[in-house]
Amino acid sequence: MKKYQLGEFEEIVLLTVGVLHGNAYGVAIKEEIEKRLERKVSVGALQSALRRMENKGFLESEVGETTAKRGGKPKRYFKMTSYGRAALEYNRDIRAELWNAIPDVALEAKFV
């Protein structure tokens, strides 16, 4: 089912937006991903993914208040849409089905 197709990074970003509910803006999303996954995230890759997922309808955004701390530049806050939630649920369910389909003998394989 292609309509819910998410790449790995998109899925991580979408999950992180959900985790940060109400406080999901660029820097906070980047820091949360880096902290939880111990993985560096480039600002460009994150901004590109956020725009792409907003265009696909998985996310919505709104501009917050301007602050002197940010030189008058407002933060853009993101929130997951119901379509985004459905995409995450679809991906979770597909992964669970695949995990459950792995024969026990395959999971008992020893690494050399």
Side-chain angles (χ1 to χ4, degrees), residues 43-90:
V43 173
L46 177 60
Q47 291 300 325
S48 178
L50 289 167
R51 279 191 303 275
R52 188 170 54 250
M53 288 190 297
E54 193 168 15
N55 289 337
K56 289 180 179 179
F58 297 141
L59 292 173
E60 293 177 341
S61 69
E62 62 183 41
V63 178
E65 302 276 328
T66 59
T67 62
K69 182 178 179 182
R70 294 176 42 89
K73 186 176 179 186
K75 293 178 183 175
R76 178 168 293 278
Y77 290 91
F78 293 88
K79 67 179 181 179
M80 187 184 324
T81 64
S82 59
Y83 187 59
R85 179 183 168 145
L88 285 176
E89 289 173 350
Y90 174 79

Side-chain angles (χ1 to χ4, degrees), residues 2-63:
K2 195 167 180 120
K3 70 178 184 171
Y4 290 133
Q5 193 162 4
L6 288 171
E8 178 203 13
F9 187 63
E10 288 178 330
E11 185 176 4
I12 289 167
V13 171
L14 192 52
L15 285 165
T16 305
V17 168
V19 167
L20 294 172
H21 180 75
N23 196 33
Y25 62 96
V27 172
I29 296 167
K30 179 184 183 307
E31 289 175 351
E32 189 72 17
I33 292 171
E34 289 179 345
K35 180 181 83 175
R36 288 182 181 266
L37 275 65
E38 298 179 4
R39 163 181 171 173
K40 287 289 180 195
V41 175
S42 79
V43 173
L46 177 60
Q47 291 300 325
S48 178
L50 289 167
R51 279 191 303 275
R52 188 170 54 250
M53 288 190 297
E54 193 168 15
N55 289 337
K56 289 180 179 179
F58 297 141
L59 292 173
E60 293 177 341
S61 69
E62 62 183 41
V63 178

